[in-house]
Every structure is written in structure tokens, then in C-alpha cells.
Amino acid sequence: MRRIREYKWAIAAASVLILTLTVIGVQYSADQATDSYRITSISCDNIRAGMSGAQVNDILGRTADQQYHPWDISVLLAPAPGTIPEWEKIWIGKDKAAIIVHFDTDGKVCNKQFFVKLGEDD
């Protein structure tokens, strides 16, 4: 009888854990969907040269979806004149709208652009 009670408690604890993880997953998905609405030309206009990555993340509501060393791949955004980007970071929103930002070796913004649909110019 005691084993049955322990078994019931284990099932109850596992059920609570699964329910908690499900709620966290749903909330995370909702947060990501909400943040995708921040990927707009207006948000891109708020990003300024010299900003840190943390400041850009604050404007866009999350970290980048993708990041590359521009010398590793064919970059989507040409470097701004007189700059040598260390990172190209990409935030993708709903309907494949995207903001691409170049960061220099100090981690500061040196170029950015909004794309209505990734792969097409604004």
C-alpha cells in the first residue's frame, strides 16, 4: 500500500513538472511571437552607429537569430564605407522581415539595414 502511495506522489510530481514546462514553453513562444513585431523599419531607424549589442537587443527585444563573421560567408549587407565589421547579426521577424546589423571589433554598431523580406532590399 505504501508503494502505491509513493507511486501516486511520483506521478503527481511528474505531472506538475510537465505542466510547468509546458506553461514555460507556451510563454516563451508567445514572447518570441511578440518580439517578432519589433522587427520593423522603425526599430531599425532607432539603432544608431556606436550602439552596443545589448542596446540593440533591448530595442529588438531579443538576441539575434543568426550571426556570422562576414569573412566566413557571403554577407547579406555590404560593409559601410570605412568600416571592417567583425560580426553580421540578423534578427528575423514575421513574414521574413529582417534587420541586419554589423558590429565592429569593439562590439559597436557600424552598419544596419531593414529588409521587408529577407533576400529583398527595402
Side-chain angles (χ1 to χ4, degrees):
M1 188 74 159
R2 182 177 173 164
R3 276 222 182 284
I4 293 173
R5 249 187 279 154
E6 289 174 359
Y7 183 68
K8 286 181 181 179
W9 276 107
I11 289 174
S15 297
V16 169
L17 178 63
I18 290 169
L19 179 62
T20 301
L21 292 174
T22 301
V23 168
I24 290 170
V26 168
Q27 182 62 43
Y28 177 78
S29 295
D31 289 345
Q32 288 294 92
T34 300
D35 289 341
S36 73
Y37 288 96
R38 293 186 184 193
I39 310 304
T40 64
S41 61
I42 294 169
S43 295
C44 188
D45 290 343
N46 290 329
I47 299 169
R48 305 275 184 232
M51 281 186 163
S52 69
Q55 290 171 311
V56 174
N57 291 341
D58 286 345
I59 290 170
L60 301 179
R62 59 188 160 94
T63 59
D65 295 300
Q66 301 170 10
Q67 69 179 23
Y68 307 98
H69 285 291
W71 58 84
D72 286 344
I73 64 162
S74 174
V75 294
L76 298 170
L77 176 62
T83 66
I84 301 173
E86 177 76 14
W87 289 101
E88 177 175 274
K89 295 187 180 186
I90 304 169
W91 286 259
I92 302 171
K94 66 178 192 146
D95 300 328
K96 297 199 180 206
I99 295 175
I100 300 175
V101 181
H102 281 175
F103 292 89
D104 63 19
T105 56
D106 294 327
K108 304 294 183 182
V109 173
C110 59
N111 197 14
K112 47 92 180 202
Q113 185 170 351
F114 174 75
F115 290 85
V116 175
K117 292 200 182 228
L118 195 58
E120 299 176 14
D121 283 335
D122 184 28

